[in-house]
Amino acid sequence: MDKIVIKGGHPLFGTVKISGSKNSSLPIITSTLLTDNVLSLHNVPNLSDIRTLHKILASLGVKVSQKSLHTWEYQADTINSFTAAYDLVKTMRASFLVLGPLLTRFGECKVALPGGCAIGVRPVNFHLEALSLMGADIEIKDGYVYASTKSKRLKGAEITFSRVSVGATENTLMAATLAEGKTIIHNAAMEPEIDDLANCLVSMGADITGIGSNCLTINGVDSLHGATHSIIPDRIESITYAIAAAITRGRIDIIDTRVEHITSVIEVLKAMGVDIKEITGGFSCSGEGNNIKGIDIVTSPYPGFPTDAQAQIMALMLTAKGASNINETIFENRFMHVPEMQRMNGDIILTDAFSVKVMGSSELHGAPVMASDLRASAGLILAALAAKGESIIDRVYHLDRGYEDIETKLSSCGADIYRYKDTPKE
Ligand code: EPZ
């Protein structure tokens, strides 16, 4: 298993180019199942989660071909299986997004229940309830969802989610594109990744209105066609590098990004005393002057403060003057990085299962730590960049799911970072 070694305590200076969004790419790649024509995608990040999805699609019969490092073509004209097997689905929950497209186009499918993961139980009841309202027969047996439609097509329906769900909005949206009649999704997720998916579906011939709002209206069409689409930049990656600049009290220009997708985080960073200026294609972020102070945040669905940036901001709060509070409202087990940051001398108090108090002014020390999930790993990397001495971060395969070339990007800004498989460098 790979480990990353960081010798921290140095300010970072440089420019980082942001890769395509993982959480946009996953549903958009899945949408290839909605047509037998070619879907061509640019700016797909080179990540292990994308490779996992490629394996799942290939197991269904989709032709997956790489045109260049970040450009891929997909064609689902020879689907020969409607089963997404547990072995593949268990490694990545987003695989569950094949359910809506397979069901709406072929009228049947069998998809493994993804189960829980490190950050929470993560049920899929909203996905299944929405598809049932659209006329699907759903049976859960032996760890699999068996879904089928009595009539040839799903039927449009009015769906109101009781809670905002990114994945359930995506599965329902994709299913609705080929359903008979009109579907209205109330309390839809509004994350930029949903807009990206909806825009790609529109280029494939889908009839969707309300994009960018929490109410999506979809008039089902008989078929979709191929399209060419470019994936939006990864907003969580942008935030992570912005915090790398702030936490090391350096300055990083973050380019090929969309500042408007991270407004809530930019506001928090500015309120903490981080200097942020818009530049062509992105923004420049600086923690120079060492004026970072504590703040209170609550994670919430977009446009609120993203849960996917909670571990990273916690690392920055550790180095701030004054205390900060974090209230995590999205996932029930998203503080796994707390004991690891405490091992680095971080002063954090778990107030209850959903809240922590970060005391600030912690003199972080390097330590061997263990990554538990993707964003927790990013939080630990950031803490290690600020810590005096050497940190060894174990289980970095979590990081490889969502951060393309992280060592190269950080070392181009002056970070002392390397990866090893078995033996550390002398
Ligand atoms: C997406 O997960 C992202 N994953 C997550 O990013 C992100 O943390 C999350 O949205 C919230 O923003 C992808 O886009 C691939 P949800 P998703 O459905 O869709 C509950 C990362 O690090 N819920 O919006 O699975 C659920 O348990 C990952 O990149 C139900 O109760 O999240 C959670 O508490 C991690 N029933 C809340 O809703 C359901 O049927 C929001 O989950 C579905 C969800």
PDB file of all heavy atoms in Angstrom, residues 243 246 249 265-276 286-287 290-297 305 312-326 358:
ATOM      1  N   ILE A 243      -6.621  26.077   0.329  1.00  0.00           N
ATOM      2  CA  ILE A 243      -6.290  25.910   1.755  1.00  0.00           C
ATOM      3  C   ILE A 243      -4.809  25.545   1.916  1.00  0.00           C
ATOM      4  O   ILE A 243      -4.174  25.936   2.904  1.00  0.00           O
ATOM      5  CB  ILE A 243      -7.247  24.890   2.419  1.00  0.00           C
ATOM      6  CG1 ILE A 243      -8.682  25.453   2.356  1.00  0.00           C
ATOM      7  CG2 ILE A 243      -6.837  24.594   3.864  1.00  0.00           C
ATOM      8  CD1 ILE A 243      -9.763  24.578   2.948  1.00  0.00           C
ATOM      9  N   ALA A 246      -3.199  28.814   2.141  1.00  0.00           N
ATOM     10  CA  ALA A 246      -3.518  29.517   3.393  1.00  0.00           C
ATOM     11  C   ALA A 246      -2.813  28.867   4.580  1.00  0.00           C
ATOM     12  O   ALA A 246      -2.229  29.552   5.418  1.00  0.00           O
ATOM     13  CB  ALA A 246      -5.028  29.523   3.601  1.00  0.00           C
ATOM     14  N   ARG A 249       0.779  29.512   4.831  1.00  0.00           N
ATOM     15  CA  ARG A 249       1.042  30.970   4.810  1.00  0.00           C
ATOM     16  C   ARG A 249       1.825  31.358   3.551  1.00  0.00           C
ATOM     17  O   ARG A 249       2.684  32.232   3.553  1.00  0.00           O
ATOM     18  CB  ARG A 249       1.803  31.434   6.066  1.00  0.00           C
ATOM     19  CG  ARG A 249       1.168  30.966   7.394  1.00  0.00           C
ATOM     20  CD  ARG A 249      -0.281  31.435   7.560  1.00  0.00           C
ATOM     21  NE  ARG A 249      -0.778  31.212   8.918  1.00  0.00           N
ATOM     22  CZ  ARG A 249      -1.731  30.337   9.243  1.00  0.00           C
ATOM     23  NH1 ARG A 249      -2.310  29.563   8.307  1.00  0.00           N
ATOM     24  NH2 ARG A 249      -2.141  30.232  10.490  1.00  0.00           N
ATOM     25  N   VAL A 265     -17.205  28.948   0.179  1.00  0.00           N
ATOM     26  CA  VAL A 265     -15.892  28.686   0.794  1.00  0.00           C
ATOM     27  C   VAL A 265     -15.009  29.939   0.714  1.00  0.00           C
ATOM     28  O   VAL A 265     -14.304  30.280   1.661  1.00  0.00           O
ATOM     29  CB  VAL A 265     -15.211  27.475   0.121  1.00  0.00           C
ATOM     30  CG1 VAL A 265     -13.850  27.210   0.734  1.00  0.00           C
ATOM     31  CG2 VAL A 265     -16.094  26.247   0.255  1.00  0.00           C
ATOM     32  N   ILE A 266     -15.078  30.626  -0.414  1.00  0.00           N
ATOM     33  CA  ILE A 266     -14.284  31.857  -0.560  1.00  0.00           C
ATOM     34  C   ILE A 266     -14.698  32.847   0.535  1.00  0.00           C
ATOM     35  O   ILE A 266     -13.853  33.492   1.157  1.00  0.00           O
ATOM     36  CB  ILE A 266     -14.500  32.489  -1.968  1.00  0.00           C
ATOM     37  CG1 ILE A 266     -14.041  31.515  -3.041  1.00  0.00           C
ATOM     38  CG2 ILE A 266     -13.877  33.875  -2.063  1.00  0.00           C
ATOM     39  CD1 ILE A 266     -12.751  31.781  -3.704  1.00  0.00           C
ATOM     40  N   GLU A 267     -16.014  32.933   0.796  1.00  0.00           N
ATOM     41  CA  GLU A 267     -16.481  33.862   1.845  1.00  0.00           C
ATOM     42  C   GLU A 267     -15.907  33.472   3.203  1.00  0.00           C
ATOM     43  O   GLU A 267     -15.465  34.321   3.963  1.00  0.00           O
ATOM     44  CB  GLU A 267     -18.013  33.866   1.910  1.00  0.00           C
ATOM     45  CG  GLU A 267     -18.617  34.806   0.887  1.00  0.00           C
ATOM     46  CD  GLU A 267     -20.120  34.618   0.711  1.00  0.00           C
ATOM     47  OE1 GLU A 267     -20.746  33.933   1.554  1.00  0.00           O
ATOM     48  OE2 GLU A 267     -20.642  35.150  -0.279  1.00  0.00           O
ATOM     49  N   VAL A 268     -15.917  32.170   3.496  1.00  0.00           N
ATOM     50  CA  VAL A 268     -15.380  31.697   4.787  1.00  0.00           C
ATOM     51  C   VAL A 268     -13.883  31.997   4.856  1.00  0.00           C
ATOM     52  O   VAL A 268     -13.374  32.503   5.868  1.00  0.00           O
ATOM     53  CB  VAL A 268     -15.670  30.185   4.971  1.00  0.00           C
ATOM     54  CG1 VAL A 268     -14.826  29.582   6.082  1.00  0.00           C
ATOM     55  CG2 VAL A 268     -17.153  29.964   5.256  1.00  0.00           C
ATOM     56  N   LEU A 269     -13.161  31.706   3.780  1.00  0.00           N
ATOM     57  CA  LEU A 269     -11.704  31.932   3.800  1.00  0.00           C
ATOM     58  C   LEU A 269     -11.397  33.425   3.992  1.00  0.00           C
ATOM     59  O   LEU A 269     -10.528  33.792   4.792  1.00  0.00           O
ATOM     60  CB  LEU A 269     -11.058  31.410   2.510  1.00  0.00           C
ATOM     61  CG  LEU A 269     -11.017  29.880   2.365  1.00  0.00           C
ATOM     62  CD1 LEU A 269     -10.496  29.477   0.991  1.00  0.00           C
ATOM     63  CD2 LEU A 269     -10.154  29.235   3.453  1.00  0.00           C
ATOM     64  N   LYS A 270     -12.153  34.264   3.291  1.00  0.00           N
ATOM     65  CA  LYS A 270     -11.914  35.714   3.439  1.00  0.00           C
ATOM     66  C   LYS A 270     -12.200  36.143   4.872  1.00  0.00           C
ATOM     67  O   LYS A 270     -11.441  36.906   5.462  1.00  0.00           O
ATOM     68  CB  LYS A 270     -12.813  36.495   2.474  1.00  0.00           C
ATOM     69  CG  LYS A 270     -12.282  36.514   1.047  1.00  0.00           C
ATOM     70  CD  LYS A 270     -13.153  37.396   0.178  1.00  0.00           C
ATOM     71  CE  LYS A 270     -12.553  37.584  -1.198  1.00  0.00           C
ATOM     72  NZ  LYS A 270     -13.505  38.181  -2.145  1.00  0.00           N
ATOM     73  N   ALA A 271     -13.279  35.633   5.444  1.00  0.00           N
ATOM     74  CA  ALA A 271     -13.627  35.998   6.823  1.00  0.00           C
ATOM     75  C   ALA A 271     -12.554  35.504   7.804  1.00  0.00           C
ATOM     76  O   ALA A 271     -12.383  36.067   8.882  1.00  0.00           O
ATOM     77  CB  ALA A 271     -14.996  35.439   7.190  1.00  0.00           C
ATOM     78  N   MET A 272     -11.838  34.457   7.421  1.00  0.00           N
ATOM     79  CA  MET A 272     -10.754  33.955   8.283  1.00  0.00           C
ATOM     80  C   MET A 272      -9.473  34.776   8.120  1.00  0.00           C
ATOM     81  O   MET A 272      -8.487  34.527   8.817  1.00  0.00           O
ATOM     82  CB  MET A 272     -10.450  32.479   7.951  1.00  0.00           C
ATOM     83  CG  MET A 272     -11.563  31.520   8.359  1.00  0.00           C
ATOM     84  SD  MET A 272     -11.156  29.800   7.951  1.00  0.00           S
ATOM     85  CE  MET A 272     -10.138  29.325   9.351  1.00  0.00           C
ATOM     86  N   GLY A 273      -9.478  35.683   7.152  1.00  0.00           N
ATOM     87  CA  GLY A 273      -8.292  36.529   6.963  1.00  0.00           C
ATOM     88  C   GLY A 273      -7.418  36.088   5.797  1.00  0.00           C
ATOM     89  O   GLY A 273      -6.318  36.624   5.609  1.00  0.00           O
ATOM     90  N   VAL A 274      -7.906  35.129   5.007  1.00  0.00           N
ATOM     91  CA  VAL A 274      -7.139  34.683   3.830  1.00  0.00           C
ATOM     92  C   VAL A 274      -7.354  35.723   2.726  1.00  0.00           C
ATOM     93  O   VAL A 274      -8.463  36.220   2.543  1.00  0.00           O
ATOM     94  CB  VAL A 274      -7.626  33.289   3.361  1.00  0.00           C
ATOM     95  CG1 VAL A 274      -6.876  32.831   2.118  1.00  0.00           C
ATOM     96  CG2 VAL A 274      -7.488  32.274   4.488  1.00  0.00           C
ATOM     97  N   ASP A 275      -6.280  36.036   2.010  1.00  0.00           N
ATOM     98  CA  ASP A 275      -6.381  37.050   0.959  1.00  0.00           C
ATOM     99  C   ASP A 275      -6.689  36.350  -0.368  1.00  0.00           C
ATOM    100  O   ASP A 275      -5.917  35.492  -0.814  1.00  0.00           O
ATOM    101  CB  ASP A 275      -5.039  37.806   0.892  1.00  0.00           C
ATOM    102  CG  ASP A 275      -5.103  38.939  -0.098  1.00  0.00           C
ATOM    103  OD1 ASP A 275      -6.190  39.538  -0.244  1.00  0.00           O
ATOM    104  OD2 ASP A 275      -4.069  39.212  -0.750  1.00  0.00           O
ATOM    105  N   ILE A 276      -7.805  36.707  -0.978  1.00  0.00           N
ATOM    106  CA  ILE A 276      -8.200  36.050  -2.233  1.00  0.00           C
ATOM    107  C   ILE A 276      -8.482  37.109  -3.286  1.00  0.00           C
ATOM    108  O   ILE A 276      -9.227  38.061  -3.034  1.00  0.00           O
ATOM    109  CB  ILE A 276      -9.440  35.164  -2.002  1.00  0.00           C
ATOM    110  CG1 ILE A 276      -9.035  34.006  -1.088  1.00  0.00           C
ATOM    111  CG2 ILE A 276     -10.001  34.638  -3.331  1.00  0.00           C
ATOM    112  CD1 ILE A 276     -10.094  33.029  -0.761  1.00  0.00           C
ATOM    113  N   SER A 286      -3.851  33.584  -0.685  1.00  0.00           N
ATOM    114  CA  SER A 286      -2.651  33.802   0.122  1.00  0.00           C
ATOM    115  C   SER A 286      -2.947  33.814   1.621  1.00  0.00           C
ATOM    116  O   SER A 286      -3.932  34.399   2.055  1.00  0.00           O
ATOM    117  CB  SER A 286      -2.009  35.138  -0.299  1.00  0.00           C
ATOM    118  OG  SER A 286      -1.140  35.577   0.706  1.00  0.00           O
ATOM    119  N   GLY A 287      -2.055  33.167   2.356  1.00  0.00           N
ATOM    120  CA  GLY A 287      -2.119  33.198   3.820  1.00  0.00           C
ATOM    121  C   GLY A 287      -0.935  33.977   4.384  1.00  0.00           C
ATOM    122  O   GLY A 287      -0.657  33.914   5.578  1.00  0.00           O
ATOM    123  N   ASN A 290       0.179  35.850   8.049  1.00  0.00           N
ATOM    124  CA  ASN A 290      -0.174  35.052   9.239  1.00  0.00           C
ATOM    125  C   ASN A 290      -1.311  35.671  10.055  1.00  0.00           C
ATOM    126  O   ASN A 290      -1.241  35.769  11.266  1.00  0.00           O
ATOM    127  CB  ASN A 290       1.089  34.878  10.103  1.00  0.00           C
ATOM    128  CG  ASN A 290       0.933  33.760  11.104  1.00  0.00           C
ATOM    129  OD1 ASN A 290       0.045  32.914  10.935  1.00  0.00           O
ATOM    130  ND2 ASN A 290       1.744  33.749  12.129  1.00  0.00           N
ATOM    131  N   ASN A 291      -2.379  36.085   9.327  1.00  0.00           N
ATOM    132  CA  ASN A 291      -3.491  36.739  10.037  1.00  0.00           C
ATOM    133  C   ASN A 291      -4.737  35.877  10.066  1.00  0.00           C
ATOM    134  O   ASN A 291      -5.850  36.380  10.051  1.00  0.00           O
ATOM    135  CB  ASN A 291      -3.833  38.062   9.333  1.00  0.00           C
ATOM    136  CG  ASN A 291      -2.745  39.076   9.570  1.00  0.00           C
ATOM    137  OD1 ASN A 291      -2.187  39.111  10.671  1.00  0.00           O
ATOM    138  ND2 ASN A 291      -2.405  39.841   8.552  1.00  0.00           N
ATOM    139  N   ILE A 292      -4.566  34.564  10.043  1.00  0.00           N
ATOM    140  CA  ILE A 292      -5.737  33.675   9.940  1.00  0.00           C
ATOM    141  C   ILE A 292      -6.402  33.547  11.316  1.00  0.00           C
ATOM    142  O   ILE A 292      -5.743  33.262  12.307  1.00  0.00           O
ATOM    143  CB  ILE A 292      -5.304  32.262   9.457  1.00  0.00           C
ATOM    144  CG1 ILE A 292      -4.366  32.345   8.255  1.00  0.00           C
ATOM    145  CG2 ILE A 292      -6.504  31.381   9.193  1.00  0.00           C
ATOM    146  CD1 ILE A 292      -4.964  32.776   6.979  1.00  0.00           C
ATOM    147  N   LYS A 293      -7.725  33.749  11.317  1.00  0.00           N
ATOM    148  CA  LYS A 293      -8.441  33.621  12.599  1.00  0.00           C
ATOM    149  C   LYS A 293      -9.583  32.606  12.482  1.00  0.00           C
ATOM    150  O   LYS A 293     -10.025  32.278  11.372  1.00  0.00           O
ATOM    151  CB  LYS A 293      -8.944  34.985  13.071  1.00  0.00           C
ATOM    152  CG  LYS A 293      -9.706  35.783  12.053  1.00  0.00           C
ATOM    153  CD  LYS A 293     -10.049  37.159  12.625  1.00  0.00           C
ATOM    154  CE  LYS A 293     -10.866  37.993  11.664  1.00  0.00           C
ATOM    155  NZ  LYS A 293     -10.161  38.387  10.442  1.00  0.00           N
ATOM    156  N   GLY A 294     -10.053  32.159  13.643  1.00  0.00           N
ATOM    157  CA  GLY A 294     -11.081  31.121  13.690  1.00  0.00           C
ATOM    158  C   GLY A 294     -12.432  31.604  13.191  1.00  0.00           C
ATOM    159  O   GLY A 294     -12.684  32.803  13.073  1.00  0.00           O
ATOM    160  N   ILE A 295     -13.295  30.657  12.907  1.00  0.00           N
ATOM    161  CA  ILE A 295     -14.646  30.963  12.386  1.00  0.00           C
ATOM    162  C   ILE A 295     -15.548  29.771  12.694  1.00  0.00           C
ATOM    163  O   ILE A 295     -15.045  28.675  12.952  1.00  0.00           O
ATOM    164  CB  ILE A 295     -14.577  31.241  10.857  1.00  0.00           C
ATOM    165  CG1 ILE A 295     -15.833  31.959  10.378  1.00  0.00           C
ATOM    166  CG2 ILE A 295     -14.364  29.951  10.083  1.00  0.00           C
ATOM    167  CD1 ILE A 295     -15.721  32.490   8.943  1.00  0.00           C
ATOM    168  N   ASP A 296     -16.858  29.966  12.652  1.00  0.00           N
ATOM    169  CA  ASP A 296     -17.795  28.842  12.821  1.00  0.00           C
ATOM    170  C   ASP A 296     -18.413  28.509  11.472  1.00  0.00           C
ATOM    171  O   ASP A 296     -18.816  29.419  10.745  1.00  0.00           O
ATOM    172  CB  ASP A 296     -18.916  29.227  13.802  1.00  0.00           C
ATOM    173  CG  ASP A 296     -18.355  29.466  15.205  1.00  0.00           C
ATOM    174  OD1 ASP A 296     -17.190  29.092  15.451  1.00  0.00           O
ATOM    175  OD2 ASP A 296     -19.090  30.046  16.031  1.00  0.00           O
ATOM    176  N   ILE A 297     -18.494  27.224  11.157  1.00  0.00           N
ATOM    177  CA  ILE A 297     -19.148  26.844   9.889  1.00  0.00           C
ATOM    178  C   ILE A 297     -20.129  25.690  10.108  1.00  0.00           C
ATOM    179  O   ILE A 297     -19.993  24.903  11.044  1.00  0.00           O
ATOM    180  CB  ILE A 297     -18.144  26.445   8.780  1.00  0.00           C
ATOM    181  CG1 ILE A 297     -17.354  25.188   9.179  1.00  0.00           C
ATOM    182  CG2 ILE A 297     -17.211  27.565   8.390  1.00  0.00           C
ATOM    183  CD1 ILE A 297     -17.070  24.297   8.004  1.00  0.00           C
ATOM    184  N   PHE A 305     -21.819  25.560   2.615  1.00  0.00           N
ATOM    185  CA  PHE A 305     -20.433  25.106   2.749  1.00  0.00           C
ATOM    186  C   PHE A 305     -20.377  23.587   2.541  1.00  0.00           C
ATOM    187  O   PHE A 305     -21.047  22.836   3.249  1.00  0.00           O
ATOM    188  CB  PHE A 305     -19.879  25.472   4.139  1.00  0.00           C
ATOM    189  CG  PHE A 305     -18.395  25.287   4.220  1.00  0.00           C
ATOM    190  CD1 PHE A 305     -17.532  26.356   4.026  1.00  0.00           C
ATOM    191  CD2 PHE A 305     -17.846  24.033   4.449  1.00  0.00           C
ATOM    192  CE1 PHE A 305     -16.148  26.180   4.064  1.00  0.00           C
ATOM    193  CE2 PHE A 305     -16.473  23.845   4.489  1.00  0.00           C
ATOM    194  CZ  PHE A 305     -15.619  24.925   4.297  1.00  0.00           C
ATOM    195  N   GLN A 312     -10.675  19.665   5.240  1.00  0.00           N
ATOM    196  CA  GLN A 312      -9.629  20.591   4.827  1.00  0.00           C
ATOM    197  C   GLN A 312      -9.695  21.890   5.630  1.00  0.00           C
ATOM    198  O   GLN A 312      -8.675  22.417   6.074  1.00  0.00           O
ATOM    199  CB  GLN A 312      -9.749  20.907   3.315  1.00  0.00           C
ATOM    200  CG  GLN A 312      -9.627  19.705   2.391  1.00  0.00           C
ATOM    201  CD  GLN A 312     -10.976  19.067   2.086  1.00  0.00           C
ATOM    202  OE1 GLN A 312     -11.777  18.819   2.977  1.00  0.00           O
ATOM    203  NE2 GLN A 312     -11.230  18.775   0.820  1.00  0.00           N
ATOM    204  N   ILE A 313     -10.925  22.415   5.828  1.00  0.00           N
ATOM    205  CA  ILE A 313     -11.036  23.678   6.580  1.00  0.00           C
ATOM    206  C   ILE A 313     -10.687  23.431   8.051  1.00  0.00           C
ATOM    207  O   ILE A 313     -10.144  24.305   8.719  1.00  0.00           O
ATOM    208  CB  ILE A 313     -12.442  24.322   6.405  1.00  0.00           C
ATOM    209  CG1 ILE A 313     -12.399  25.824   6.741  1.00  0.00           C
ATOM    210  CG2 ILE A 313     -13.504  23.685   7.276  1.00  0.00           C
ATOM    211  CD1 ILE A 313     -12.010  26.702   5.625  1.00  0.00           C
ATOM    212  N   MET A 314     -10.950  22.205   8.534  1.00  0.00           N
ATOM    213  CA  MET A 314     -10.590  21.891   9.925  1.00  0.00           C
ATOM    214  C   MET A 314      -9.073  22.013  10.114  1.00  0.00           C
ATOM    215  O   MET A 314      -8.596  22.545  11.121  1.00  0.00           O
ATOM    216  CB  MET A 314     -11.052  20.481  10.304  1.00  0.00           C
ATOM    217  CG  MET A 314     -10.885  20.189  11.778  1.00  0.00           C
ATOM    218  SD  MET A 314     -11.285  18.483  12.219  1.00  0.00           S
ATOM    219  CE  MET A 314     -13.034  18.406  11.955  1.00  0.00           C
ATOM    220  N   ALA A 315      -8.329  21.531   9.123  1.00  0.00           N
ATOM    221  CA  ALA A 315      -6.862  21.629   9.207  1.00  0.00           C
ATOM    222  C   ALA A 315      -6.454  23.097   9.309  1.00  0.00           C
ATOM    223  O   ALA A 315      -5.630  23.469  10.150  1.00  0.00           O
ATOM    224  CB  ALA A 315      -6.228  20.962   7.985  1.00  0.00           C
ATOM    225  N   LEU A 316      -7.068  23.951   8.479  1.00  0.00           N
ATOM    226  CA  LEU A 316      -6.715  25.381   8.517  1.00  0.00           C
ATOM    227  C   LEU A 316      -7.091  25.993   9.864  1.00  0.00           C
ATOM    228  O   LEU A 316      -6.331  26.795  10.431  1.00  0.00           O
ATOM    229  CB  LEU A 316      -7.429  26.118   7.367  1.00  0.00           C
ATOM    230  CG  LEU A 316      -7.155  27.614   7.287  1.00  0.00           C
ATOM    231  CD1 LEU A 316      -5.666  27.899   7.060  1.00  0.00           C
ATOM    232  CD2 LEU A 316      -7.973  28.267   6.168  1.00  0.00           C
ATOM    233  N   MET A 317      -8.257  25.600  10.391  1.00  0.00           N
ATOM    234  CA  MET A 317      -8.717  26.142  11.686  1.00  0.00           C
ATOM    235  C   MET A 317      -7.715  25.836  12.799  1.00  0.00           C
ATOM    236  O   MET A 317      -7.560  26.623  13.733  1.00  0.00           O
ATOM    237  CB  MET A 317     -10.073  25.533  12.047  1.00  0.00           C
ATOM    238  CG  MET A 317     -11.215  26.089  11.216  1.00  0.00           C
ATOM    239  SD  MET A 317     -12.678  25.057  11.444  1.00  0.00           S
ATOM    240  CE  MET A 317     -13.930  26.091  10.671  1.00  0.00           C
ATOM    241  N   LEU A 318      -7.043  24.686  12.695  1.00  0.00           N
ATOM    242  CA  LEU A 318      -6.056  24.312  13.713  1.00  0.00           C
ATOM    243  C   LEU A 318      -4.938  25.346  13.824  1.00  0.00           C
ATOM    244  O   LEU A 318      -4.365  25.532  14.892  1.00  0.00           O
ATOM    245  CB  LEU A 318      -5.443  22.949  13.380  1.00  0.00           C
ATOM    246  CG  LEU A 318      -6.285  21.725  13.713  1.00  0.00           C
ATOM    247  CD1 LEU A 318      -5.674  20.475  13.106  1.00  0.00           C
ATOM    248  CD2 LEU A 318      -6.427  21.576  15.223  1.00  0.00           C
ATOM    249  N   THR A 319      -4.650  26.003  12.694  1.00  0.00           N
ATOM    250  CA  THR A 319      -3.523  26.942  12.679  1.00  0.00           C
ATOM    251  C   THR A 319      -3.989  28.388  12.882  1.00  0.00           C
ATOM    252  O   THR A 319      -3.181  29.307  12.828  1.00  0.00           O
ATOM    253  CB  THR A 319      -2.777  26.859  11.326  1.00  0.00           C
ATOM    254  OG1 THR A 319      -3.636  27.386  10.300  1.00  0.00           O
ATOM    255  CG2 THR A 319      -2.386  25.437  10.980  1.00  0.00           C
ATOM    256  N   ALA A 320      -5.315  28.565  13.063  1.00  0.00           N
ATOM    257  CA  ALA A 320      -5.862  29.928  13.173  1.00  0.00           C
ATOM    258  C   ALA A 320      -5.715  30.460  14.593  1.00  0.00           C
ATOM    259  O   ALA A 320      -5.540  29.698  15.536  1.00  0.00           O
ATOM    260  CB  ALA A 320      -7.337  29.906  12.783  1.00  0.00           C
ATOM    261  N   LYS A 321      -5.828  31.781  14.719  1.00  0.00           N
ATOM    262  CA  LYS A 321      -5.873  32.374  16.069  1.00  0.00           C
ATOM    263  C   LYS A 321      -7.317  32.322  16.527  1.00  0.00           C
ATOM    264  O   LYS A 321      -8.222  32.765  15.823  1.00  0.00           O
ATOM    265  CB  LYS A 321      -5.414  33.830  16.020  1.00  0.00           C
ATOM    266  CG  LYS A 321      -3.939  33.961  15.700  1.00  0.00           C
ATOM    267  CD  LYS A 321      -3.464  35.405  15.889  1.00  0.00           C
ATOM    268  CE  LYS A 321      -2.037  35.538  15.416  1.00  0.00           C
ATOM    269  NZ  LYS A 321      -1.908  35.940  14.005  1.00  0.00           N
ATOM    270  N   GLY A 322      -7.552  31.740  17.700  1.00  0.00           N
ATOM    271  CA  GLY A 322      -8.919  31.665  18.228  1.00  0.00           C
ATOM    272  C   GLY A 322      -9.595  30.370  17.823  1.00  0.00           C
ATOM    273  O   GLY A 322      -9.155  29.663  16.911  1.00  0.00           O
ATOM    274  N   ALA A 323     -10.686  30.077  18.532  1.00  0.00           N
ATOM    275  CA  ALA A 323     -11.385  28.804  18.318  1.00  0.00           C
ATOM    276  C   ALA A 323     -12.357  28.887  17.138  1.00  0.00           C
ATOM    277  O   ALA A 323     -12.787  29.967  16.741  1.00  0.00           O
ATOM    278  CB  ALA A 323     -12.136  28.429  19.590  1.00  0.00           C
ATOM    279  N   SER A 324     -12.678  27.702  16.594  1.00  0.00           N
ATOM    280  CA  SER A 324     -13.668  27.585  15.515  1.00  0.00           C
ATOM    281  C   SER A 324     -14.612  26.450  15.876  1.00  0.00           C
ATOM    282  O   SER A 324     -14.238  25.543  16.627  1.00  0.00           O
ATOM    283  CB  SER A 324     -12.993  27.197  14.193  1.00  0.00           C
ATOM    284  OG  SER A 324     -11.995  28.095  13.826  1.00  0.00           O
ATOM    285  N   ASN A 325     -15.809  26.481  15.325  1.00  0.00           N
ATOM    286  CA  ASN A 325     -16.750  25.371  15.510  1.00  0.00           C
ATOM    287  C   ASN A 325     -17.186  24.853  14.156  1.00  0.00           C
ATOM    288  O   ASN A 325     -17.405  25.636  13.227  1.00  0.00           O
ATOM    289  CB  ASN A 325     -17.991  25.842  16.272  1.00  0.00           C
ATOM    290  CG  ASN A 325     -17.653  26.129  17.723  1.00  0.00           C
ATOM    291  OD1 ASN A 325     -17.385  25.211  18.488  1.00  0.00           O
ATOM    292  ND2 ASN A 325     -17.629  27.400  18.081  1.00  0.00           N
ATOM    293  N   ILE A 326     -17.306  23.531  14.056  1.00  0.00           N
ATOM    294  CA  ILE A 326     -17.826  22.929  12.818  1.00  0.00           C
ATOM    295  C   ILE A 326     -19.043  22.098  13.185  1.00  0.00           C
ATOM    296  O   ILE A 326     -18.997  21.271  14.095  1.00  0.00           O
ATOM    297  CB  ILE A 326     -16.790  22.003  12.145  1.00  0.00           C
ATOM    298  CG1 ILE A 326     -15.531  22.771  11.768  1.00  0.00           C
ATOM    299  CG2 ILE A 326     -17.394  21.318  10.920  1.00  0.00           C
ATOM    300  CD1 ILE A 326     -14.454  21.914  11.107  1.00  0.00           C
ATOM    301  N   VAL A 358     -12.610  23.425  17.349  1.00  0.00           N
ATOM    302  CA  VAL A 358     -11.191  23.398  16.981  1.00  0.00           C
ATOM    303  C   VAL A 358     -10.543  24.564  17.709  1.00  0.00           C
ATOM    304  O   VAL A 358     -10.929  25.713  17.498  1.00  0.00           O
ATOM    305  CB  VAL A 358     -11.037  23.551  15.446  1.00  0.00           C
ATOM    306  CG1 VAL A 358      -9.575  23.419  15.035  1.00  0.00           C
ATOM    307  CG2 VAL A 358     -11.893  22.533  14.704  1.00  0.00           C
TER     308      VAL A 358
END
